[in-house]
Amino acid sequence: MIQEGKFGIAEAMWLVVFTSAAKVFFTSPATVAALVGTAGWYMTLISALTALLGFAFIYLLLKRFPNCDLAEIFELALGRPLGFIFTGLLAVHLFFAATTNLAEFGEVIRIYVFPLSHNWYIVGLFILNVFILSRLGLETMARLAKLLAYPMLLGYLTVVALGIQNYDINNIFPLFGSGLKKTVLAGIVRCSAYGEVIILAVFAKSFQGLENIKKEGLISLALAALLVSFSLLLFTLTFPYYIAKEITAPMLEMAALIDYGSTLQRVETIFLFIWMISTLISTTVLFYSFVWLYCKMFRITDKKPIVLAGSVVLFATSLMHTDVISVILGEVEFIRKFGSIPFFVLPLVALIVAVIRKKGVNADA
Amino acid sequence: MLKKAAPLFLLLIALLLTSCWDAFDPGEMLHVWAIGVDRGLADKWRLTLLFSSLEELTGGGEDAGVSRQERSSKEDTIVIDAPSFFTGIDMLNSAIPRRLSFTHAQTIIFSEELAASGLVDNYIMPIIRFRQIRKSARVLVVKGAAQDFLEGVAPFAGSSVSEDLQFLGRESKNTGLSPVVTLNHFYTALNSPYYQPIATLAALNDFKSLPKEGEPWGTQFQTGGQYLAGALPRAGEGKVEFFGTALFRDGEMVGELNGDQTRFLLMVRGEFRRGFFTMEDPKQPDLIIPLDVRALGEPRIRVKLQGNKALIDVAVRLDLDLLAVQSKLHYEQQPLKGLLEEKFQTIVRTGIEDVIRNCQSLNVDVFMFGNHTTKDFLTVPAAENFNWNERFQNAEITVEVKAAIRRTGRQIVL
């Protein structure tokens, strides 16, 4: 039986927050601006609320099968073959999300920082860190997330405060963006942006009880939603919607605009650290979740060889895209549109089947 | 095994991280400070690049026997005609023994001719993608050719040209006689369905405006802000002037504002911070009263849409400090204080109204009123369909100015 360490609420919370909120530093804000115009900052709150509903089902599922993680629950609720398929679908999706994260990071960083370095070089160095962190395990990742959270938050708030010179309140109007109906619909569909909360169920045994998982889920969802919404709001205040939709890495450009004369400028370097570290944690957690589920599926007790092999596959798949547009409009948009199925629909189906088949602790109720 | 390999592994990573493809030796780079753009003769664009002297990089400079003042400004610029900005860079990189870097480019200069031809739009569009050029770079429109401007510009009192351009840009915040327009502002306005772009007007002064002989000036009043860049009656050090505003409509320069008009424009845009104004003494018109004027917060702009028409109320609040009273009348106290405030309010209000009328005749909303109209619409398509840029000329705009004397300088005449 493979085991993970145990850690507290704060560690778990930051792990989920990093994994969920890191995407705001990529191209997603531009896509959101193109989709809903000025309404992106509250559209994401609708997404978070939808994700909260999804998490409620995940929580009910965990409650029905105490002391079990998601892979075990799928098997208990659906039987071995179907449980295997459900776990596999989730694992593949998590791996795909990690790949996309990395591909997007590699492409965007080449545009802004390392235009001459090869993709394999940037992604390769990144994978090296993903590999080391994965070898060290979930507890190390969680403790690292908490350790880095505070300086990163400080850096983020510094950039946010300095950017005040570029905020224009008129930019948030018209309030309903491309239309309220479109905003609500996009908000619901894009709830997968917060789907990473599922890692609380994937590693359920490491979070010291159901009550802790509930707390961690609620706090991390709220915090991630707050961070993403706040970032999108500031982004909207800085760039009007007709410009916002054409910026590759909006948050980075927002930081690059800060200019207080020769005293203070070029503060995007602070932002680069925030961006890289959050991406590292986010990608590693997604990748490690895949490794964990994979080992569960095939009942592999030693995950080390899988981490190595997975890293190699992750490296290869992260380079398998034709161009940056195929990543942004193809892979990332696919995850946003359909990511809610593996993240929330699969647990919901498992819950319904468990109730029908009277599986779990409430079976006799 | 892993523990034993760790030091070797870390060493490998350290080596890898220090030698990526983007590494460069600072000595190999040539940092461009300003980019001048004209219409070319041998090709579509004429690019003039102002860069830091290689003498400084190589430890030359005054030790090499040539002082900064003596050095011809041509030594600091390079010119090329090219089909595009990027091809121009490559063409230059093959001709100069350094790699051009634009990461420190602080100023982008367009010639008035290029701006008036409507080609700025074509030019800005490609360079906005270029990662090396920061969007915080200033945008200038110069009288004459950008090449002449950059070649003719000489460092002021021993400073460097790049510093001069930066300081002049910043100083305009304290005078209000020219706007501070960054590449980001300009590009955003260029694409905006709600307002039109402006740029700082700049020029080299040939000092011919300063009369050397003739009758002494009488008592006729002038504000001092009635000039355009390049026409200030002055002589001496520093040829560069940032004075006035270039007005654009859909990427084409269609007009210009002088220093005074620029101040009124900036008051409405909420970008006026401070400036010294000179006004006639209300009681003794042959004498003047200089005032230190500061904006008291953002202007209040209210837009009401009535059918196809927009009714706009603008309220500007200013704080005044008395700088001098030639007539020695007691303007510090009522009733003269109120009289002076009222007179100044009228000057600013009529000034703003004149600039608005001028811009309405050109159909260019450079006041960003359109941005305020968006509050009246719930959705983006509805706001865009209103087509503000075409409706601005018919808007009814009322201006209210409140100015109050707060301080009286180092004298309190009781």
Side-chain angles (χ1 to χ4, degrees):
Chain A
M1 187 77 179
I2 51 175
Q3 292 290 332
E4 280 301 334
K6 290 192 174 180
F7 37 84
I9 291 178
E11 284 87 351
M13 182 193 81
W14 284 116
L15 204 62
V16 179
V17 170
F18 270 122
T19 315
S20 303
K23 53 183 76 73
V24 80
F25 301 135
F26 288 96
T27 56
S28 291
T31 318
V32 168
L35 199 64
V36 297
T38 52
W41 64 276
Y42 63 86
M43 183 217 77
T44 198
L45 294 176
I46 298 169
S47 299
L49 283 173
T50 314
L52 191 67
L53 185 71
F55 179 69
F57 295 129
I58 294 171
Y59 172 71
L60 288 176
L61 190 65
L62 291 172
K63 201 174 170 185
R64 203 170 176 87
F65 297 92
N67 303 318
C68 292
D69 61 33
L70 195 60
E72 290 164 1
I73 293 171
F74 278 155
E75 214 166 289
L76 289 169
L78 307 165
R80 171 74 179 154
L82 211 53
F84 183 88
I85 291 169
F86 269 44
T87 309
L89 282 174
L90 182 59
V92 167
H93 182 73
L94 288 166
F95 187 81
F96 182 59
T99 301
T100 306
N101 235 10
L102 212 48
E104 197 181 7
F105 176 78
E107 288 297 338
V108 177
I109 209 149
R110 276 197 72 185
I111 289 170
Y112 284 93
V113 192
F114 302 122
L116 301 178
S117 297
H118 297 285
N119 262 3
W120 63 262
Y121 177 73
I122 295 167
V123 171
L125 282 176
F126 210 86
I127 294 272
L128 219 54
N129 292 291
V130 171
F131 169 74
I132 294 167
L133 269 177
S134 300
R135 279 297 300 264
L136 295 172
L138 188 69
E139 188 179 343
T140 311
M141 283 177 224
R143 296 200 187 283
L144 181 72
K146 191 194 167 189
L147 182 73
L148 294 172
Y150 301 109
M152 281 173 67
L153 210 57
L154 186 70
Y156 172 80
L157 291 175
T158 307
V159 172
V160 160
L162 291 173
I164 199 162
Q165 61 173 185
N166 298 314
Y167 302 151
D168 180 357
I169 191 72
N170 290 314
N171 286 345
I172 64 166
F173 299 103
L175 265 180
F176 289 168
S178 304
L180 195 58
K181 191 178 163 190
K182 204 172 176 182
T183 303
V184 173
L185 209 65
I188 293 169
V189 169
R190 297 174 79 87
C191 67
S192 64
Y194 299 95
E196 287 85 351
V197 74
I198 203 166
I199 62 173
L200 293 174
V202 172
F203 302 105
K205 287 178 182 171
S206 295
F207 297 108
Q208 306 190 48
L210 208 55
E211 274 312 298
N212 273 2
I213 290 177
K214 186 178 159 188
K215 268 187 211 164
E216 288 153 3
L218 292 176
I219 297 171
S220 52
L221 268 177
L223 201 61
L226 193 73
L227 270 173
V228 173
S229 174
F230 189 56
S231 302
L232 287 176
L233 177 65
L234 298 180
F235 168 53
T236 311
L237 290 174
T238 307
F239 299 105
Y241 68 88
Y242 45 89
I243 296 297
K245 65 185 178 187
E246 56 182 51
I247 299 175
T248 310
M251 301 301 288
L252 183 73
E253 294 231 3
M254 210 173 96
L257 270 187
I258 293 168
D259 185 357
Y260 289 88
S262 50
T263 323
L264 194 65
Q265 51 175 275
R266 299 173 192 261
V267 295
E268 66 268 28
T269 38
I270 302 175
F271 185 80
L272 273 177
F273 278 106
I274 300 172
W275 180 27
M276 287 177 188
I277 292 168
S278 57
T279 307
L280 172 66
I281 293 171
S282 164
T283 308
T284 310
V285 171
L286 291 169
F287 171 70
Y288 192 71
S289 305
F290 156 76
V291 171
W292 176 270
L293 290 174
Y294 186 87
C295 289
K296 285 275 180 180
M297 280 166 68
F298 295 101
R299 297 189 173 147
I300 299 167
T301 50
D302 183 10
K303 63 179 169 34
K304 285 174 189 171
I306 307 301
V307 169
L308 180 64
S311 298
V312 174
V313 179
L314 181 66
F315 174 70
T317 49
S318 300
L319 301 175
M320 282 183 190
H321 53 268
T322 48
D323 50 41
V324 67
I325 293 298
S326 67
V327 177
I328 298 167
L329 296 181
E331 296 173 24
V332 177
E333 275 309 283
F334 179 83
I335 290 174
R336 294 291 175 277
K337 281 179 186 162
F338 303 107
S340 54
I341 296 173
F343 283 144
F344 301 123
V345 176
L346 294 187
L348 178 63
V349 171
L351 179 66
I352 293 168
V353 173
V355 172
I356 293 169
R357 293 181 65 198
K358 295 182 179 171
K359 298 278 182 184
V361 288
N362 294 334
D364 299 328
Chain B
M1 175 64 189
L2 194 66
K3 278 179 187 170
K4 281 180 188 168
L8 195 68
F9 187 65
L10 285 173
L11 189 69
L12 184 72
I13 288 182
L15 286 172
L16 278 172
L17 287 172
T18 53
S19 57
C20 65
W21 281 262
D22 289 280
F24 61 86
D25 180 346
E28 293 174 2
M29 307 303 285
L30 187 63
H31 290 288
V32 175
W33 300 113
I35 305 160
V37 189
D38 293 298
R39 297 184 78 166
L41 296 177
D43 215 321
K44 194 172 181 183
W45 306 107
R46 173 159 297 178
L47 303 171
T48 308
L49 308 179
L50 179 84
F51 52 86
S52 52
S53 167
L54 293 174
E55 285 176 30
E56 284 182 348
L57 287 173
T58 53
E62 300 197 5
D63 290 342
V66 186
S67 74
R68 259 199 96 74
Q69 287 290 338
E70 287 169 333
R71 207 186 318 126
S72 156
S73 59
K74 283 184 180 176
E75 288 176 34
D76 293 325
T77 58
I78 193 162
V79 184
I80 192 161
D81 281 3
S84 76
F85 177 75
F86 302 100
T87 307
I89 296 172
D90 267 4
M91 288 163 76
L92 283 173
N93 275 333
S94 63
I96 55 173
R98 294 288 189 283
R99 199 199 304 173
L100 288 170
S101 167
F102 294 85
T103 51
H104 291 271
Q106 304 272 5
T107 317
I108 297 168
I109 299 160
F110 297 105
S111 68
E112 194 178 12
E113 186 212 354
L114 182 76
S117 67
L119 291 171
V120 170
D121 195 7
N122 292 2
Y123 198 82
I124 283 284
M125 293 299 270
I127 66 169
I128 204 82
R129 286 175 188 261
F130 187 35
R131 70 172 199 94
Q132 283 191 19
I133 294 181
R134 298 178 73 79
K135 286 184 178 174
S136 54
R138 303 283 192 270
V139 175
L140 309 180
V141 168
V142 293
K143 298 271 180 189
Q147 180 190 352
D148 295 341
F149 180 84
L150 284 173
E151 286 180 347
V153 68
F156 179 83
S159 64
S160 72
V161 172
S162 62
E163 273 177 359
D164 291 352
L165 292 175
Q166 283 183 62
F167 281 127
L168 273 169
R170 274 179 228 149
E171 191 52 29
S172 60
K173 287 181 181 171
N174 290 320
T175 65
L177 292 165
S178 64
V180 177
V181 182
T182 63
L183 183 60
N184 182 54
H185 290 143
F186 191 79
Y187 180 71
T188 302
L190 211 53
N191 287 280
S192 175
Y194 309 116
Y195 63 98
Q196 299 283 358
I198 56 170
T200 308
L201 208 55
L204 294 181
N205 195 325
D206 56 9
F207 305 135
K208 286 180 183 165
S209 303
L210 184 75
K212 294 210 169 66
E213 51 195 33
E215 287 294 310
W217 188 261
T219 56
Q220 198 185 344
F221 173 74
Q222 287 197 124
T223 61
Q226 72 274 24
Y227 303 103
L228 290 169
L232 294 189
R234 67 185 186 95
E237 280 276 326
K239 286 184 173 180
V240 183
E241 282 172 10
F242 286 10
F243 214 91
T245 306
L247 307 176
F248 285 79
R249 185 176 58 222
D250 302 326
E252 182 184 340
M253 184 176 158
V254 290
E256 50 194 21
L257 301 179
N258 65 28
D260 282 336
Q261 292 167 327
T262 299
R263 283 176 159 176
F264 298 133
L265 166 72
L266 297 183
M267 282 179 187
V268 179
R269 283 170 66 106
E271 293 168 13
F272 176 82
R273 278 193 196 173
R274 182 190 180 210
F276 293 159
F277 281 65
T278 301
M279 63 180 285
E280 281 179 305
D281 190 319
K283 289 285 183 188
Q284 292 189 35
D286 55 326
L287 299 177
I288 52 131
I289 299 177
L291 296 164
D292 183 353
V293 181
R294 292 185 181 85
L296 186 65
E298 295 275 310
R300 181 179 53 76
I301 295 170
R302 286 188 181 148
V303 180
K304 201 172 162 190
L305 300 179
Q306 277 189 351
N308 286 334
K309 202 156 195 170
L311 307 175
I312 302 173
D313 289 324
V314 182
V316 174
R317 291 176 303 158
L318 303 166
D319 267 2
L320 314 176
D321 287 4
L322 278 176
L323 291 172
V325 182
Q326 290 180 337
S327 61
K328 296 181 181 171
L329 293 172
H330 290 192
Y331 282 108
E332 300 88 352
Q333 295 174 49
Q334 297 294 4
L336 288 182
K337 180 174 179 277
L339 178 71
L340 190 68
E341 288 170 347
E342 199 177 310
K343 173 89 175 168
F344 186 74
Q345 283 169 188
T346 309
I347 290 169
V348 175
R349 182 172 50 75
T350 51
I352 292 175
E353 285 170 349
D354 285 348
V355 178
I356 290 175
R357 260 196 301 277
N358 183 7
C359 291
Q360 280 189 309
S361 70
L362 295 169
N363 198 18
V364 285
D365 174 15
V366 287
F367 303 91
M368 302 168 82
F369 289 135
N371 257 3
H372 296 271
T373 64
T374 54
K375 293 187 186 101
D376 287 274
F377 299 97
L378 285 177
T379 64
V380 167
E384 286 185 353
N385 287 339
F386 187 69
N387 202 2
W388 170 253
N389 280 335
E390 291 307 314
R391 290 176 195 270
F392 168 66
Q393 58 189 339
N394 298 321
E396 278 181 24
I397 302 164
T398 52
V399 181
E400 183 195 15
V401 178
K402 283 189 178 166
I405 296 171
R406 304 285 180 193
R407 282 159 293 273
T408 58
R410 293 200 298 180
Q411 273 189 317
I412 307 171
V413 184
L414 300 172

